[in-house]
Amino acid sequence: MPLNDVELRTLHNTLLNPTISEHVNPASIDICIGNKLLIDDCLSSATGHFREVDLSKHSHSNPYLFPPKTFALVDTWEWITVPNNCCVELKLKSSRAREGWNHAIAGWFDPGWSGRGTMEIYNLRSIPIPVYPRLRFAQLVVYRMTSEPSKLYNGCYQNAITVEAAKHSPNR
């Protein structure tokens, strides 16, 4: 079962850095867009089909206009550290969905995972949608496990410091 706001407030400082108490909801915690976008650009094979956009140059009053019908990867503003006895699901905020955003359903953080999260986003609309750092974009739903797992996350995305494209290996 998801943790409620009382439980989330006790976990908040461990789970996220920085923490913003106003981002705690009844059953989730809001997280924000970070500083880097990797936009799908099939014409740019030198960068692995992604073009990097530095969002730190943008703000609420000067947003980046995210192109229509475009896929991108973006990092979270917050550093996420999942406690060993929890797992976390990332969900798009309904307000963002109503603006025309979509998020891939791959938003899952295993016990022991730590780093900046990567969100897979898509503009469903036929017009650009503004985006900028610290935009409240998604929410984390935290589940406490009945006990710690025998093995914690120690995969290739551990301690990610920014957005990362897929890392391909024979075992993936």
Side-chain angles (χ1 to χ4, degrees):
M1 297 227 297
L3 299 186
N4 64 37
D5 58 344
V6 174
E7 296 166 305
L8 290 171
R9 286 188 193 288
T10 63
L11 192 62
H12 196 206
N13 289 337
T14 302
L15 184 67
L16 296 176
N17 184 17
T19 60
I20 301 171
S21 62
E22 295 82 29
H23 287 196
V24 177
N25 303 309
S28 66
I29 301 175
D30 290 346
I31 58 169
C32 302
I33 294 285
N35 286 321
K36 293 272 171 86
L37 262 176
L38 295 179
I39 293 187
D40 185 18
D41 184 3
C42 58
L43 301 176
S44 177
S45 61
T47 59
H49 301 292
F50 285 101
R51 177 174 47 88
E52 186 175 302
V53 173
D54 183 1
L55 287 178
S56 68
K57 300 174 183 176
H58 297 275
S59 64
H60 182 274
S61 59
N62 178 32
Y64 174 77
L65 296 177
F66 192 90
K69 310 294 183 196
T70 300
F71 172 80
L73 304 172
V74 64
D75 60 356
T76 61
W77 178 262
E78 302 83 359
W79 185 273
I80 302 167
T81 301
V82 182
N84 295 350
N85 65 340
C86 293
C87 54
V88 177
E89 189 172 12
L90 186 140
K91 300 277 195 179
L92 182 67
K93 287 187 65 60
S94 63
S95 297
R96 300 294 85 87
R98 291 173 185 161
E99 293 169 353
W101 290 104
N102 194 7
H103 177 267
I105 57 173
W108 184 263
F109 300 101
D110 282 316
W113 188 87
S114 186
R116 293 209 186 275
T118 292
M119 297 183 280
E120 305 85 7
I121 63 174
Y122 187 81
N123 177 353
L124 294 166
R125 301 193 58 195
S126 55
I127 60 171
I129 304 175
V131 66
Y132 49 90
R134 300 185 89 167
L135 170 66
R136 287 163 80 164
F137 195 82
Q139 52 199 343
L140 299 179
V141 179
V142 181
Y143 303 90
R144 190 172 325 272
M145 301 171 66
T146 56
S147 63
E148 286 190 21
S150 62
K151 180 177 130 183
L152 298 175
Y153 180 84
N154 192 24
C156 61
Y157 301 106
Q158 183 72 309
N159 297 313
I161 58 171
T162 190
V163 62
E164 295 185 343
K167 295 180 180 180
H168 298 286
S169 72
N171 297 332
R172 292 197 169 272

